Amino acid sequence: MKALPYTLRQLEYAVAVAEAGGFRKAAEQCHVSQPALSAQLAQLEDIIGVRLFERDRRRVLVTGAGRELLARAKRVLTEAADLQALARCWEDPFHGEMRIGIIPTIAPYLLAEITPALKERFPELRLLWTEEKTSTLSSMLEEGALDAAVVALETDLGDVEHAEIAKDPFVLAAARSHPLAKARSKMPVAKLAQSCVYLLEDGHCFREQVVDLCSKVGSEEAGFRATSLGTLVQLVASTGGLTLLPSLALGIENRNEQLKIRPLGSPMPYRTIALVWRPSTPFRDALETLAKTMRAAYPVSSKVTNAKQG
Amino acid sequence: MKALPYTLRQLEYAVAVAEAGGFRKAAEQCHVSQPALSAQLAQLEDIIGVRLFERDRRRVLVTGAGRELLARAKRVLTEAADLQALARCWEDPFHGEMRIGIIPTIAPYLLAEITPALKERFPELRLLWTEEKTSTLSSMLEEGALDAAVVALETDLGDVEHAEIAKDPFVLAAARSHPLAKARSKMPVAKLAQSCVYLLEDGHCFREQVVDLCSKVGSEEAGFRATSLGTLVQLVASTGGLTLLPSLALGIENRNEQLKIRPLGSPMPYRTIALVWRPSTPFRDALETLAKTMRAAYPVSSKVTNAKQG
DNA sequence: CCAATGTGATAGGCTGTGCCTATCTACTAT
DNA sequence: ATAGTAGATAGGCACAGCCTATCACATTGG
C-alpha cells in the first residue's frame, strides 16, 4: 500500500466548499477559520496537481476536474463515516459477534439451556459456536480464531485465564441388569474396581478424566469406544455395561429406561466447566460478564433432580 | 458533513499491521519508526473506541472487530487511492474532458474540419461540444458550465480572454439570376445598397454583424428569417435572392448550383473566430495550445478555392 | 542455562504542520 | 464615496507526529 499524501480533512474541506459555494461559508461549517481552510485546500490542489476550484473574486466555480474528483471525494468520506459507524457498533462488546468454542461433552447439554438467557441478556450479541475437542479449541484460541471457549479446567489448556461456570459431578450410569445398579447413594469410586467400563473415543477430555480415575482404582476398559455420550449411553444400556457420565448430560441422557444413575463419592469426581480466554484478550470484562450469565443459567435443577432420584 | 476524527494514515498503518502481522514489519513497510506506528495505532483504537489488535509479546492477533473494520479500512484506502489516480488523469489538462461551446454559424463547418486534428494531437482529451448562440454560451461560460467557447469576437462577450483562430471574411451569395451575381471580384460593400437581403433569425451574432453592415449602406431585410445558414442558402437559391455568408460555410454551402459566390471589399467585412475563456480559468495554457491547433487545422483551402473560383 | 535476538510499549526531544488573528486587495452594492 | 463582501497573505503559537534510545518481556541457539 503506497502512502497517501493527502488527508481526509482536506477532502472534507473541499466538499464543504463545493456545497457551500464559498470559502467563508465552508470554513464556518467546518468550524475553522477561512485562512485555515484556504491553506488546506491550496495544499490539496497542490498535492493532487489539479485545480478543483476556480477562484473568482465574487464566487467559486468548480472546475471540470473538480466535479468528478469531488464526487469521488464524497464517496471516500462516506466510506470513512461508515467505518466509524461500524466501529461504534463494536464499541459495545455485547454488540457484535463473539466466536466461542465448546467441547462436545458439554455443547448439546449446555447450549440449549443457556442460549435463551444469553439471547435475552445480550440481544445484540451474536455468538458463533464452534464444537471441537479441547486440543483443537485450545489451538484455535491460541491463534485468535476464537475469542473464548467453554471447556473443562481439568485438562491442560496452555496459558489462559478463566471464569468458572459450574462444577459438574460425575455419576455412575449402569444398565438395570448390572450389579452396581443397585448400589446405594454416594457409591464410593473404589467400588468400580474390576468393573469393565465403557469410555469415549480418544481426544475427549472427559475420557481422559475417567481414564485417570479408573486406572487409580483398577478398572479395565471395554473394547468399544463411543464417539459421543449419546452413543455411550446406548452402548451401556444395550450391553448391560457400565460407564460414568457428567451430571450435565443427565437432563437428556437419563431418558433411557434401561439406565440406572447412581451418584459417586469418596471422593466425588467432577469436572469444572469454565469459560476460558487468552490473557491478552480485549474482552476480559465482557467475557467475565458472559460467564456470570452462563453460571446463572446453568441447569442446576436437572442435576439436583437426578441426584435425588438416583 | 461531520468532522472525521481519524486520519487516512492511521488506517494505512492499521492495514499494514494486519497484513505484515507485526508492528515492526508494518512500520518498515510504511517507512516510519515502530514507535510512530504504535502511537498512531493506539490513537486510532482510542478514537474509534475499539481494540483492533490483540498485542501479545510474540505476535499480533486481529480481533473480531478488527477483521470487519480492517476490511472497511481497506475499502476506504482503495477509494482514496482511486481518487488520486483519477486526479493524475486530470493533472495533464489534455487528459480528461473539456466542455467547449460553439455557435451554430461555426459549428457545422469547423467541427468536421478540426476534430480529426484535435483527436490526433490530444488523443486523451474528450471535447464536449455545446452548440448554442453566443448569449447562451456567454452565460454558460460565466457560470462555469463551459470551460471555453468558440465564438466571433465581434459580439459582446463580457469579461473573457481569447485566442484568435481565424479571420472569416464574409462573401456575397446570390442566386444565379440575381443582378449582383455578375459582379467582378471584390465587390464593394456599398453596392449592396437598395438590395433586399435575406438574414438569419434573431440571436445569431452573424445576423447582428450583417445587419450592422447593411444598415450602414441602406439595404433592407427580406421578410423571412432563416434558422440556419443551410436554410438561408436554400432560401436565396430558390427565391432568386441575396445574402451574405461567412467564407467558412462555403465548403459545405457552396454546393448549390443556383448559387453564385462573390468576394466583398472596400472594406472587406469579416468576423474573427476565436476561442474564449474566463480570465480565471486554470486551463489558460492548455486552451491557448488548443486554439493554436485549431488555427493550424482551420480550413484555409476551401476559403481560397472559393475565392478564386468566384 | 545464559546470551542473542525478537517483540511492542515508553520516554524525551525536536521539527513542521495546522491553526489562529489581523491585515490586504479587489469587487459589489448602497 | 463608503461599507460590506469575497479569498489571499502574514506572523505567531501550540501541538501533532516523528525520531532515537531504552525498557520489559518473549523465544531461540549455543
Side-chain angles (χ1 to χ4, degrees), chain A residues 183-239:
Chain A
R184 286 170 305 111
S185 289
K186 294 261 177 188
M187 191 189 80
V189 174
K191 288 236 184 169
L192 289 176
Q194 313 308 335
S195 297
C196 177
V197 180
Y198 281 96
L199 293 175
L200 284 176
E201 64 177 3
D202 253 2
H204 288 280
C205 62
F206 179 62
R207 173 196 157 86
E208 318 302 338
Q209 279 197 264
V210 177
V211 164
D212 275 2
L213 198 67
C214 291
S215 67
K216 273 178 196 149
V217 299
S219 334
E220 55 180 283
E221 183 182 357
F224 190 84
R225 294 180 177 177
T227 55
S228 73
L229 291 180
T231 57
L232 187 61
V233 165
Q234 297 302 325
L235 207 55
V236 168
S238 61
T239 64

Side-chain angles (χ1 to χ4, degrees), chain A residues 2 5-6 12 54 58-59 61 67-68 72 75 79-80 82 84 90 99 142-143 278 280, chain B residues 5-6 12 54 58-59 61 67-68 72 75 79-80 82 84 90 99 142-143 278 280:
Chain A
K2 194 58 171 48
Y6 62 88
E12 279 185 83
E54 202 176 308
R58 60 191 184 288
R59 72 206 190 295
L61 292 178
R67 287 200 334 265
E68 201 164 328
R72 277 305 183 122
R75 282 187 53 182
E79 289 278 353
D82 284 354
Q84 208 184 1
W90 284 91
R99 303 157 295 170
E142 160 83 3
E143 291 162 14
R278 286 181 300 279
S280 57
Chain B
Y6 62 87
E12 280 184 83
E54 201 174 308
R58 61 190 183 287
R59 71 207 192 295
L61 292 178
R67 287 201 332 264
E68 200 166 327
R72 276 306 182 120
R75 282 187 53 183
E79 290 278 354
D82 284 354
Q84 207 184 1
W90 283 91
R99 302 158 296 171
E142 160 83 4
E143 290 161 16
R278 285 181 301 276
S280 57

Side-chain angles (χ1 to χ4, degrees), chain A residues 16 25 46 58 88 108 123 130 152 172 184 214 217 282 286 301 306:
Chain A
K25 266 173 281 183
D46 190 50
R58 60 191 184 288
R88 217 175 299 287
T130 297
L172 176 71
R184 286 170 305 111
C214 291
V217 299
S301 52
N306 282 299

